[in-house]
């Protein structure tokens, strides 16, 4: 095993429960910690800042926000803020751990370090599987959006869906294999495109409100019925305001929807071992997350609802919703709004897939170098360009199975359930991360002059309680209850196996030492 990946003697928790946070830990230099770090620190401040921004802006904001607005109306703003604060606390916990040891390739390593090999193995494999499953969903989404984009120009590419997926994946794998700096540059420009559209939409909405813009009924691209005419104004938000206009059940269910919009916000915690000046860059990137939430999510939603009354958002016959971004631009008279928005959506999906390949590659690399199997250890090799090329290629090969699986009816149904369960499983990873953070704060490793999470006993507990609450809301709706149950089965079966396996290994080792 690479020495860098195991908990160093000086970094080990002080016993199973950990010592008191007495400041006994000392802040080791990054250079000293990096002695066995085979990755290149090719990401600079600009890359990390935009990677962090990109991690908070997915396709859900551009396409799925109409459904969340329809669910609870203007009060969805409070849900986005509340969930954003909790995710910020998660990032502060991850930030504190990664600041302590920036040579780690993933925050999952701290689960192993502070909760033991059993939970570490469960978290490592579960998280990698989640990344691959989400990647399989994203590659399907990319081709779908690509086809929709060209369909706005009357070009039908439906029969080339498989080739589109193959080309997109090949291009992103190539970017990941060139160098980590190439990945950083790609994410910078992906994020720049997304940010530009959001800022343009907010600016358009502000102008429409200021001039008191009125619009006629319009047939919105992606919406079955004709959207009624109206006007732009703050009164669209404030009139007949109610916290739960569709009932408290709908309001509670909005939390899980918004939570999944923030999913993968922790991605910046995987880039630290390849970031220049990590102890300077990481705190800045993490602390600015809350500002990004307010600007890009809350700002965008306020702008949308100031133009389009929330009651206008109605589901189509197939349950889908029109993009609020397309609605705003088409109301403003932009005929080619659908093409513009879907171009940016393709960018957002490509960015998500690019990040998933990067993260999946690092996590599989981590699992390989910790493996006892000589065959699997071969996956844990770093290329001449200082990237885990083999792990990236293996992850990409599995993601490429997506079109094959979707073509087989029986397998496809099981895959959808498994993929939805992965979203539930990630909540377990977040909870384990917060518990690992608690152990760190009580251990002799704790350094009071690090990137310290404020009021950690309260904020850590609050975050854990919230994640449990979100998981509980999965049982409220028929379409999420199956994934919640499947997630618990995964925790019981695979989690139980990992813990028992570790227990028996420890017992055998103890017996061998006694003899």
């Amino acid at each position: 095993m690479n020495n860098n990946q195991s908990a160093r003697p000086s970094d080990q928790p002080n016993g199973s429960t950990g010592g008191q946070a007495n400041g006994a830990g000392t802040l080791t230099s990054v250079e000293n910690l990096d002695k066995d770090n085979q990755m290149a620190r090719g990401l600079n401040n600009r890359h990390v800042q935009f990677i962090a921004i990109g991690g908070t802006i997915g396709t859900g904001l551009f396409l799925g926000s109409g459904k969340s607005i329809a669910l609870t109306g203007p009060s969805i703003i409070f849900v986005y803020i509340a969930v954003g604060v909790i995710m910020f606390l998660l990032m502060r916990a991850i930030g504190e751990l990664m600041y302590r040891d920036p040579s780690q390739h993933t925050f999952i390593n701290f689960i192993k370090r502070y909760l033991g090999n059993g939970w570490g193995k469960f978290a490592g494999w579960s998280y990698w599987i989640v990344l691959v499953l989400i990647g399989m969903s994203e590659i399907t989404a990319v081709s779908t959006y690509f086809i929709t984009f060209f369909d706005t120009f009357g070009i039908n590419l439906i029969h080339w869906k498989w080739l589109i997926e193959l080309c997109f994946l090949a291009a992103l794998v190539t970017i990941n294999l060139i160098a980590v700096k190439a990945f950083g540059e790609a994410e910078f420009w992906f994020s720049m495109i997304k940010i530009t559209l959001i800022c343009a939409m907010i600016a358009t909405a502000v102008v429409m409100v200021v001039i008191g813009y009125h619009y006629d009924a319009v047939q919105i691209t992606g919406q079955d019925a004709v959207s009624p005419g109206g006007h732009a104004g703050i009164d669209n938000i404030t009139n007949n305001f109610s916290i739960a206009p569709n009932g408290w059940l709908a309001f509670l269910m909005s939390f899980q929807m918004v939570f999944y919009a923030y999913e993968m916000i922790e991605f910046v915690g995987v880039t630290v071992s390849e970031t220049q000046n990590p102890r300077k860059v990481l705190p800045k990137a993490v602390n600015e997350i809350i500002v990004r939430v307010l600007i890009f999510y809350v700002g965008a939603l306020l702008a949308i609802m100031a133009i389009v009354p929330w009651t206008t958002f109605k589901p189509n016959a197939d349950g889908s919703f029109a993009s609020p971004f397309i609605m705003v631009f088409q109301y403003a008279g932009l005929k080619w709004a659908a093409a513009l928005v879907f171009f940016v959506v393709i960018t957002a999906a490509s960015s998500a897939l690019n990040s998933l390949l990067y993260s999946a590659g690092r996590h599989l690399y981590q699992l390989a170098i910790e493996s006892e199997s000589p065959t699997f250890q071969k996956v844990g090799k770093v290329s001449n360009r200082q990237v885990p090329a083999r792990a990236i290629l293996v992850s990409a090969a599995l993601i490429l199975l997506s079109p094959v699986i979707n073509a087989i009816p029986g397998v496809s149904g099981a895959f959808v359930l498994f993929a939805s369960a992965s979203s539930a499983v990630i909540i377990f990873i977040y909870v384990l991360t917060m518990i690992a953070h608690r152990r760190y704060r009580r251990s002799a490793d704790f350094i009071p002059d690090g990137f310290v999470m404020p009021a950690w006993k309260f904020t850590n507990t609050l975050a854990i309680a919230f994640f449990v609450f979100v998981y509980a809301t999965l049982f409220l709706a028929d379409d999420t209850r199956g994934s919640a149950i499947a997630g618990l089965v995964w925790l019981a079966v695979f989690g139980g196996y990992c813990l028992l396996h570790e227990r028996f290994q420890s017992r055998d080792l103890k017996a061998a030492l006694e003899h």
Side-chain angles (χ1 to χ4, degrees), residues 222-376:
Q223 185 167 293
D224 293 344
V226 174
S227 194
H231 72 284
I234 302 300
D235 57 314
N236 284 330
I237 300 173
T238 57
N239 284 349
N240 302 314
F241 177 82
S242 173
I243 292 292
N246 292 322
W248 287 103
L249 182 63
F251 181 73
L252 290 175
M253 287 172 59
S254 70
F255 279 90
Q256 56 170 277
M257 192 178 299
V258 172
F259 171 79
Y260 290 128
Y262 285 111
E263 196 176 66
M264 295 298 147
I265 195 174
E266 75 280 1
F267 171 64
V268 73
V270 185
T271 65
V272 180
S273 68
E274 295 169 271
T275 300
Q276 300 167 12
N277 302 314
R279 285 185 174 145
K280 180 181 179 181
V281 173
L282 178 65
K284 183 176 173 61
V286 171
N287 282 334
E288 290 183 359
I289 284 176
I290 198 72
V291 177
R292 298 183 200 108
V293 167
L294 292 174
I295 294 174
F296 298 121
Y297 275 104
V298 177
L301 290 171
L302 284 172
I304 289 165
M305 288 187 287
I307 309 304
V308 189
W310 73 273
T311 51
T312 302
F313 292 96
K314 303 289 184 183
N316 294 322
D318 60 358
S320 64
F321 284 78
S323 165
F325 280 72
I326 292 177
M327 295 178 81
V328 169
F329 285 128
Q330 285 197 331
Y331 279 141
L334 196 64
K335 302 295 184 183
W336 41 276
L340 171 67
V341 171
F342 270 100
F343 170 74
V344 176
V345 165
I346 291 169
T347 302
S350 300
S351 173
L353 185 58
N354 193 36
S355 298
L356 285 163
L357 280 170
Y358 173 94
S359 188
R362 270 64 184 175
H363 282 89
L364 187 61
Y365 166 80
Q366 183 71 44
L367 291 166
I369 60 178
E370 291 177 349
S371 173
E372 296 174 0
S373 166
T375 303
F376 186 37

Side-chain angles (χ1 to χ4, degrees), residues 17 35 121 133 135 154 183 243 267 316 334 352 365 385 396 416 487:
T17 57
K35 287 178 180 177
K121 184 176 182 179
L133 288 171
F183 164 79
I243 292 292
F267 171 64
N316 294 322
L334 196 64
Y365 166 80
R385 295 180 177 273
V416 170

